Amino acid sequence: MSDGGGVVAAATGAEALSTELPVGRSAGWWGMVMFVATEATLFACLLGSYFYLRFQYGPQWPPDGIGAPELLKPLVMTAVLVPSSLPVIWAEHGIRHGQRWRLRSGLAATMLLGMTFLALQATEYAEKLKHFTMTTDAYGSLFYLITGFHGLHVLVGLTMIGWLLAASLRGGSFGSHRHERVRNVAIYWHFVDLVWVAILFTIYLSPRL
Amino acid sequence: MSTTTTPPPGVSEQDLARLAEHWGERPSLRGWFSTVDHKKIGRRYLVTAGFFFVLAGLSALVMRTQLARPEAGVVSPQEYNQLFSMHGTAMIFLFATPMLFGFGNFLVPLMIGARDMAFPRLNAFGYWVFLFAGLFMWASLPFGAAPNNGWFAYVPLSGEQHNPGLHMDVYALGLLFLGISTTAASINFIVTALKLRAPGMSLNRVPLFVWAIVATAFMVIFALPALNVDNAMLFLDRRFGTHFFDPSGGGNVLLWQHLFWIFGHPDVYIIVMPALGIVSAVLPAFTRRGVVGYPLIVLSIVSIAIISFGVWVHHMFATGLPQLSYSFFSAASTIITIPSGIQIFAWLATMLLGRLVLRVPLLYVIGFVVTFVLGGFTGAMFALTAFDQQVTDSYFVVAHFHYVLIGGAVFPMLAGIYYWLPKITGRMYHERLGRWAFWLVFAGMHVTFFPMHLYGLFGMPRRVYTYRSEPGWDGWNLVSTVGSYLLAVGLLLVLVGVVHALRRGRPAPPDPWEGDSLEWATASPPEPYNFPVLPRVHSLHPAWDERTAESVRAGATADRILSDGRRTLVTSELDAHPERAVQMPESTLMPLVLAGALLVFFTSMLFAWYPVAAVAALAVAATIAVWLWPSRRPDEELGVSG
């Protein structure tokens, strides 16, 4: 596919075009990257709002009666969520080589870890809600909006992964020539993991600095 | 569809028939609702945005009627608040951006030599969401429940305590709903321009209009989330008692303003940038030469897109921020005039060096330069903090941004409408009618808004429903009102011109203007598949380039793989080397169904029917799952886009 022939080459090399493995980034890849970019900006705005309100608030942060956030549970949650990117990578590389069992097992493992994360978050909420809610003050509003919004993203990611798993189990929808969607969902999942690290720093670690 | 296409040599009638079969739809109701053709979607964007423009314009006329004389009683203060809020909100969100995205939808694939957008179904979805969100917001007006706190919706005035009722819930939910459409369209523009360009259209041969649309889309990607976060917080504060903007609960009202203007200032460029792209697209045809300084204009587009994120605080000079931020944002606001100036000088040079063909589109371009420069001057004045403190929230500001937005966006849009009408409809417009409309619009605009500088300086505040008789206010207000009617008559004549062209206009040839970009290398209106043979680009002005025509003739015999199904060619990002042929999606009702489910969701959120909203959210998820369910096509190795 040299420059010399241009579209003529593209067209006369018809067979080459249709049988060659995809080269370069696909449109779907770019679409997912742009979507993740706008979502990342959204989280940046949320975390920026956190710091803005914090610095306007005064020396006591979190406010009186709430106290610095517990660290143990969020660290456990991190230890569950961040490694969950590994089975996604395993699954994606597997299907590139046509190994459907790797796709299925990797996705299943990710789902397990993601659901564990959500379960842990639910117990954390149950605990926190005894002390403060969204309506207690601005700290509570920020805490539940930011972590809740991230939890929603985990849920969306899990839905996408469950969808891939279902499509794959239903019978060979993905193969060595057709794994774009696995790659795109993987990008989204890595993004959800990375955002959690930023949230861990902002909500749980920064008040202790 | 037009029958003017004569197949290029080497393409048989059967080839064309096969392409038409792959890309066309049956003319049925189902076909109408399920189409994913970017040209139809682009036309719908233009018509729908035009409809919202008429509604927003009528709101303005009522306001100007009320303000013609002091202490008039045409509308009540409450009605006036809703009118100016809907006028601003609709003009910014439901007219300016969607109108320009309409041009982008119709033109970007044609200009880059593709057969559709990168994600055709997402494109259709974006249109339906735009339509539904627009109706969602306008529907509140007859019930007296429309947004009533300006298009910027400052807290605490927009908060529950000071503003009970549905007004600002409509605003927050409506804009969140609409944001889905804008984001989807922006992602689509970026990917389309990156991956679907005709072979040979390397980055230094991309038309300036496409550059402008892509830069705009990038700005949307990074600016709109701030508005979304803002509106989500406003809705939570109003409905669920959170304290993001409530000082008594540790919140801060300035947080709203920061987030709003982090979005809002780039938004000015989101509106103006594609309009400037239209100017760069129109000029070559009417000056008979390429636009001067192509690389400089591209650099200017890119740098405006970046710097526009560093100037938001200049909307907040009156809020008592630290001195250092005044200095920084004052400097940034001054610096951004440099790339804007570069473009203006490039266009002036183009006109000076070219041979002017004074048709209606060029008249609007000249009207644009005059008006936009005046608006730019008053804009530079605001960068001086002291002056800004004097005129902020007065009619001087109203004058300034109408010069920028009408001069900088509406005039180029009107140029674009006349320029591309033959391409979009296949009909020529009536030249004399067009000239009359231009002079009325131009005069009406200046008679309306120039006096506002004066009575703004004399101290008349904006957003007031009436005023006491003051020396220096009464007379000029009457002049403004007369001007607004002139402007309305002019715009009506534009509409009459479009209808006249559709009914009586003589059929347009493929290239009535001898334009330089690829859309002129197709039929008017283009066939559903855009190009019988995808062209090969050799220069910045492919439609003026014999080699491109030659490539179509040479490629014709060998273009089989791309015409054997609903396919287009994917090329590399920088150099546009062919990479692979992709199968494009067929027509489907799913985009409409998904947008409908979202409409149910937002409506039930508005009326606090939360169980219904939960069901609708599940329906949204289910629809997406079904929509994207992978099919097992025999030709799956082509890779599926979409």
Side-chain angles (χ1 to χ4, degrees):
Chain A
M1 226 166 286
S2 69
D3 190 16
V7 76
V8 185
T12 47
E15 299 87 318
L17 255 187
S18 63
T19 54
E20 244 177 50
L21 276 178
V23 287
R25 303 290 187 195
S26 69
W29 186 88
W30 279 106
M32 182 53 90
V33 165
M34 286 300 136
F35 179 64
V36 162
T38 190
E39 290 274 275
T41 315
L42 205 133
F43 276 104
C45 291
L46 284 172
L47 298 180
S49 303
Y50 176 92
F51 286 111
Y52 184 80
L53 288 185
R54 176 194 170 164
F55 290 123
Q56 302 287 326
Y57 192 86
Q60 184 66 37
W61 184 266
D64 278 339
I66 292 179
E70 277 292 325
L71 270 187
L72 182 62
K73 187 162 279 176
L75 286 177
V76 175
M77 286 161 76
T78 312
V80 170
L81 191 64
V82 172
S84 74
S85 269
L86 294 175
V88 172
I89 295 171
W90 153 269
E92 189 196 329
H93 282 254
I95 197 61
R96 277 192 203 180
H97 298 100
Q99 296 165 308
R100 297 211 165 98
W101 66 275
R102 273 178 67 181
L103 176 70
R104 288 166 191 167
S105 58
L107 293 178
T110 309
M111 282 204 74
L112 209 62
L113 288 170
M115 288 196 290
T116 312
F117 174 88
L118 283 185
L120 286 170
Q121 191 169 41
T123 61
E124 201 210 3
Y125 270 25
E127 222 166 89
K128 295 261 191 217
L129 282 169
K130 287 182 211 151
H131 301 288
F132 64 97
T133 66
M134 271 191 108
T135 57
T136 308
D137 62 12
Y139 176 81
S141 307
L142 282 167
F143 176 84
Y144 289 106
L145 180 65
I146 293 173
T147 56
F149 200 63
H150 177 262
L152 184 68
H153 276 71
V154 175
L155 189 66
V156 169
L158 281 177
T159 312
M160 286 157 74
I161 287 176
W163 177 92
L164 283 182
L165 192 57
S168 152
L169 287 174
R170 190 173 149 273
S173 293
F174 302 104
S176 55
H177 288 264
R178 195 177 192 185
H179 48 69
E180 256 178 28
R181 288 181 177 195
V182 181
R183 181 160 68 163
N184 295 343
V185 170
I187 293 171
Y188 186 82
W189 190 258
H190 301 325
F191 158 72
V192 170
D193 282 0
L194 272 178
V195 168
W196 173 256
V197 177
I199 290 174
L200 178 77
F201 173 80
T202 305
I203 303 249
Y204 296 97
L205 298 180
S206 82
R208 291 172 174 270
L209 292 180
Chain B
M1 274 300 123
S2 94
T3 51
T4 53
T5 316
T6 43
V11 177
S12 64
E13 294 289 345
Q14 288 91 323
D15 289 331
L16 288 186
R18 207 162 36 136
L19 271 173
E21 189 199 337
H22 287 308
W23 287 90
E25 284 112 17
R26 277 176 200 84
S28 65
L29 205 59
R30 192 191 161 89
W32 197 88
F33 281 112
S34 64
T35 184
V36 294
D37 183 339
H38 73 96
K39 297 179 290 298
K40 290 187 183 166
I41 293 166
R43 282 205 301 261
R44 286 174 194 180
Y45 262 106
L46 294 173
V47 170
T48 311
F51 172 68
F52 291 143
F53 176 72
V54 170
L55 292 182
L58 290 176
S59 312
L61 272 191
V62 177
M63 286 191 282
R64 276 319 319 170
T65 311
Q66 161 73 13
L67 293 174
R69 305 302 304 153
E71 303 190 62
V74 179
V75 289
S76 70
Q78 289 78 18
E79 286 163 349
Y80 190 87
N81 286 348
Q82 296 184 28
L83 283 173
F84 81 70
S85 303
M86 275 313 283
H87 170 75
T89 309
M91 282 296 190
I92 298 281
F93 294 108
L94 300 176
F95 160 64
T97 308
M99 188 82 178
L100 292 160
F101 276 17
F103 280 114
N105 252 305
F106 191 92
L107 290 167
V108 166
L110 288 170
M111 281 187 168
I112 64 174
R115 290 209 165 122
D116 205 328
M117 298 282 281
F119 308 111
R121 294 177 298 179
L122 187 70
N123 202 27
F125 168 69
Y127 169 74
W128 293 118
V129 169
F130 158 55
L131 175 69
F132 290 165
L135 294 176
F136 176 90
M137 294 181 81
W138 275 111
S140 63
L141 192 62
F143 299 101
N148 57 357
N149 198 30
W151 81 282
F152 41 80
Y154 285 169
V155 289
L157 274 178
S158 56
E160 233 284 299
Q161 197 185 355
H162 299 286
N163 201 336
L166 291 180
H167 307 280
M168 297 318 290
D169 297 328
V170 172
Y171 175 93
L173 290 173
L175 290 189
L176 284 170
F177 190 11
L178 183 68
I180 298 170
S181 158
T182 320
T183 306
S186 298
I187 293 174
N188 216 343
F189 281 132
I190 292 173
V191 180
T192 305
L194 274 179
K195 294 303 296 182
L196 261 50
R197 301 198 307 276
M201 188 179 276
S202 47
L203 280 190
N204 57 344
R205 292 174 186 164
V206 173
L208 288 168
F209 177 76
V210 178
W211 268 110
I213 286 280
V214 169
T216 306
F218 268 106
M219 283 194 279
V220 168
I221 295 277
F222 294 112
L224 200 59
L227 182 73
N228 288 337
V229 166
D230 228 6
N231 276 313
M233 287 177 172
L234 179 66
F235 186 69
L236 288 170
D237 266 12
R238 290 177 55 82
R239 193 60 75 78
F240 298 105
T242 54
H243 303 284
F244 296 107
F245 307 128
D246 168 23
S248 72
N252 193 299
V253 289
L254 278 188
L255 177 60
W256 169 274
Q257 288 200 32
H258 278 295
L259 285 170
F260 188 84
W261 290 117
I262 285 172
F263 154 78
H265 198 85
D267 191 53
V268 174
Y269 294 94
I270 287 169
I271 291 166
V272 171
M273 183 91 81
L276 304 189
I278 292 180
V279 174
S280 292
V282 168
L283 270 180
F286 298 96
T287 57
R288 297 281 176 256
R289 59 159 296 140
V291 174
V292 173
Y294 172 90
L296 277 178
I297 295 186
V298 172
L299 277 178
S300 137
I301 288 172
V302 173
S303 50
I304 288 177
I306 294 167
I307 303 174
S308 70
F309 283 88
V311 299
W312 81 87
V313 168
H314 77 210
H315 292 266
M316 301 168 67
F317 280 154
T319 52
L321 294 167
Q323 193 61 45
L324 184 66
S325 67
Y326 281 181
S327 311
F328 174 82
F329 287 100
S330 193
S333 307
T334 313
I335 285 171
I336 203 167
T337 58
I338 295 171
S340 317
I342 286 175
Q343 294 200 41
I344 298 276
F345 284 118
W347 295 319
L348 289 178
T350 311
M351 286 195 256
L352 283 175
L353 297 173
R355 192 155 49 80
L356 296 190
V357 182
L358 217 57
R359 303 288 298 263
V360 175
L362 189 62
L363 287 179
Y364 277 107
V365 168
I366 294 168
F368 146 76
V369 171
V370 172
T371 314
F372 188 62
V373 166
L374 283 171
F377 282 152
T378 50
M381 288 158 82
F382 293 130
L384 309 169
T385 315
F387 179 81
D388 181 87
Q389 301 241 353
Q390 172 62 31
V391 297
T392 196
D393 273 335
S394 79
Y395 261 91
F396 191 90
V397 177
V398 181
H400 158 70
F401 68 70
H402 281 90
Y403 266 75
V404 170
L405 291 176
I406 297 183
V410 177
F411 282 4
M413 278 180 206
L414 290 167
I417 287 174
Y418 284 99
Y419 180 56
W420 282 301
L421 195 75
K423 182 53 63 184
I424 295 174
T425 65
R427 302 276 178 174
M428 297 300 291
Y429 66 84
H430 192 284
E431 185 74 22
R432 199 140 51 89
L433 200 55
R435 279 169 192 273
W436 269 97
F438 167 76
W439 286 110
L440 276 169
V441 167
F442 185 76
M445 189 272 153
H446 284 272
V447 174
T448 309
F449 295 103
F450 194 82
M452 287 184 185
H453 293 113
L454 302 176
Y455 51 88
L457 278 174
F458 299 156
M460 180 162 164
R462 62 199 273 214
R463 305 177 201 125
V464 289
Y465 89 104
T466 192
Y467 52 95
R468 294 254 177 83
S469 185
E470 296 274 350
W473 292 12
D474 303 19
W476 285 121
N477 263 292
L478 188 61
V479 172
S480 276
T481 303
V482 171
S484 69
Y485 278 88
L486 271 182
L487 180 56
V489 173
L491 290 167
L492 188 68
L493 272 192
V494 173
L495 192 65
V496 169
V498 171
V499 174
H500 179 272
L502 282 171
R503 291 277 161 82
R504 301 262 171 90
R506 65 190 163 79
D511 183 8
W513 308 120
E514 296 169 40
D516 68 330
S517 40
L518 277 176
E519 79 270 26
W520 301 110
T522 63
S524 297
E527 302 289 346
Y529 45 83
N530 289 359
F531 299 91
V533 175
L534 293 188
R536 159 93 198 178
V537 174
H538 294 271
S539 70
L540 191 50
H541 309 287
W544 287 349
D545 193 335
E546 185 49 36
R547 284 171 295 175
T548 298
E550 187 58 42
S551 80
V552 170
R553 286 194 280 275
T557 49
D559 205 31
R560 203 63 72 230
I561 179 105
L562 289 171
S563 56
D564 195 21
R566 202 173 225 205
R567 286 181 195 157
T568 196
L569 190 66
V570 163
T571 55
S572 65
E573 291 84 352
L574 299 179
D575 301 326
H577 285 306
E579 283 181 346
R580 53 180 149 159
V582 290
Q583 191 73 28
M584 298 298 269
E586 307 288 329
S587 301
T588 162
L589 285 173
M590 292 312 267
L592 178 61
V593 172
L594 183 58
L598 281 169
L599 178 63
V600 174
F601 174 78
F602 280 99
T603 309
S604 39
M605 286 303 281
L606 179 67
F607 293 111
W609 306 328
Y610 300 122
V612 183
V615 173
L618 285 177
V620 166
T623 312
I624 296 174
V626 173
W627 172 344
L628 294 178
W629 194 261
S631 62
R632 300 177 67 195
R633 276 191 244 267
D635 55 355
E636 66 179 32
E637 71 275 8
L638 278 171
V640 176
S641 170

